[in-house]
Amino acid sequence: MKAKTTDKIATFVICFFALFIVALLVGLLGFILARGVSHISFDFLTSAPQTLRAGGGIGPQLFNSVFLLILTLIITIPIGWGAGIYMAQYAKPGKITDFIRLVVEVLSSFPSIVIGLFGLLLIVNTFNFGFSLLSGALALAVFNLPLMVRTTEQAFRAVPKEQKEAGLALGLSKWKIITSILLPAALPSLITGTILAAGRIFGEAAALLFTAGMSTPPLDFTDWNPLHARSPINPMRPAETLAVHIWKVNSEGIAPDSRDIAAGASAVLVLLVLAFNLIARWFGRVVYRRLTAAKRMD
């Protein structure tokens, strides 16, 4: 077969699969949104769920999902970025480094239900944190750390060596090179890794069943003292997230409109992930332009 023919066939196959993936994604999002958007209203987003009566909302579950995301990222980002920077810039090649990399890859392949059981035994029972937002955040941090470490390491390794060598030629310390040269250049990839982790946090349900719980106490949104039991920002209270609520309504819901609630909650979850994705990319682009010379080159 001629080289030009082979090239055309390969290009067609690659384009076909790329368009297939895009069509699959658009079809999936369209199906979820078409079923659920009509059920979204201000009352649906702010009111509490109903067990027996129709007309329940997802207000506490929506707040819990966002608050759990913040708690988990507060734990995951410093540890994940720190470990990734260590693996990329400080760890010397050898058996120990290879072993650490192997442990990270094995940990990333663990099913979320196993992470949930680990969290139940260690965090909930041994550390006596109980079913709480903090227990859920710690379990999700364990779940997401391998992804964050790998993306951070790859982001720093992808920065051209010439940039690091230029910093060394200027007499900069290693830490100064990391914070002033490598970190701004790696920032877009770090933002991408954070977005991927956030998507997993929003959509995770199995691990949270055993750590954050399947119920939410009545919340008082006028009380913002984190030590009070009914405060929304109390990290030691149980919390049912949006993903857990969707699973619960679909499997155990006895309200007359449970299917509508599940459809509406699914649409809200998808829109939440899309909104976070867009906001994080916009924020990352702004920070990148401020930290680098990209703005001056436009």
Side-chain angles (χ1 to χ4, degrees):
M1 189 177 293
K2 293 182 179 180
K4 283 188 177 179
T5 306
T6 306
D7 183 63
K8 286 181 180 178
I9 293 174
T11 304
F12 173 79
V13 171
I14 291 170
C15 291
F16 172 78
F17 282 116
L19 291 174
F20 177 74
I21 292 172
V22 172
L24 191 64
L25 181 62
V26 171
L28 182 64
L29 291 178
F31 177 74
I32 294 173
L33 293 177
R35 283 191 62 204
V37 165
S38 60
H39 304 294
I40 300 175
S41 64
F42 181 76
D43 184 64
F44 180 71
L45 296 176
T46 55
S47 61
Q50 299 289 339
T51 305
L52 300 175
R53 292 183 302 173
I58 57 168
Q61 288 74 20
L62 183 58
F63 179 84
N64 291 337
S65 295
V66 177
F67 189 39
L68 183 66
L69 171 72
I70 296 171
L71 282 179
T72 307
L73 290 183
I74 288 175
I75 299 169
T76 307
I77 288 179
I79 300 174
W81 286 17
I85 291 172
Y86 171 80
M87 296 295 291
Q89 299 297 319
Y90 290 95
K92 296 179 179 178
K95 292 183 179 179
I96 296 178
T97 304
D98 293 340
F99 178 73
I100 294 174
R101 222 170 257 129
L102 177 65
V103 169
V104 171
E105 289 174 357
V106 170
L107 191 59
S108 66
S109 64
F110 273 20
S112 59
I113 193 77
V114 176
I115 300 294
L117 289 172
F118 168 78
L120 175 66
L121 293 174
L122 186 67
I123 302 170
V124 176
N125 293 331
T126 305
F127 293 160
N128 205 24
F129 284 177
F131 291 104
S132 63
L133 278 162
L134 184 59
S135 299
L138 289 171
L140 291 181
V142 174
F143 186 57
N144 280 297
L145 270 176
L147 172 67
M148 197 68 83
V149 172
R150 293 295 292 168
T151 54
T152 303
E153 182 185 359
Q154 290 172 1
F156 272 78
R157 288 190 181 280
V159 178
K161 288 184 178 178
E162 290 77 8
Q163 294 193 27
K164 183 178 179 180
E165 292 170 355
L168 292 172
L170 292 172
L172 300 179
S173 64
K174 198 166 189 175
W175 178 244
K176 188 67 177 175
I177 291 172
I178 290 173
T179 55
S180 301
I181 298 175
L182 301 182
L183 181 60
L187 194 59
S189 299
L190 297 180
I191 296 293
T192 301
T194 305
I195 291 171
L196 291 174
R200 297 175 74 181
I201 294 168
F202 274 130
E204 181 53 45
L208 295 176
L209 296 175
F210 300 100
T211 51
M214 297 173 60
S215 63
T216 302
L219 300 180
D220 181 5
F221 282 92
T222 62
D223 182 3
W224 294 97
N225 187 333
L227 300 179
H228 290 176
R230 294 184 58 186
S231 171
I233 57 173
N234 180 0
M236 300 308 294
R237 64 173 175 83
E240 182 189 32
T241 63
L242 210 50
V244 174
H245 185 63
I246 293 169
W247 172 82
K248 189 176 175 183
V249 169
N250 268 321
S251 58
E252 303 175 354
I254 55 176
D257 60 345
S258 57
R259 291 175 65 88
D260 296 338
I261 292 174
S266 300
V268 171
L269 187 60
V270 169
L271 292 174
L272 199 61
V273 173
L274 290 176
F276 179 83
N277 194 318
L278 294 175
I279 293 172
R281 289 189 183 281
W282 169 80
F283 180 74
R285 191 161 53 245
V286 170
V287 174
Y288 178 75
R289 287 165 65 86
R290 284 186 178 276
L291 293 179
T292 65
K295 188 175 181 179
R296 276 170 265 173
M297 294 175 68
D298 289 343

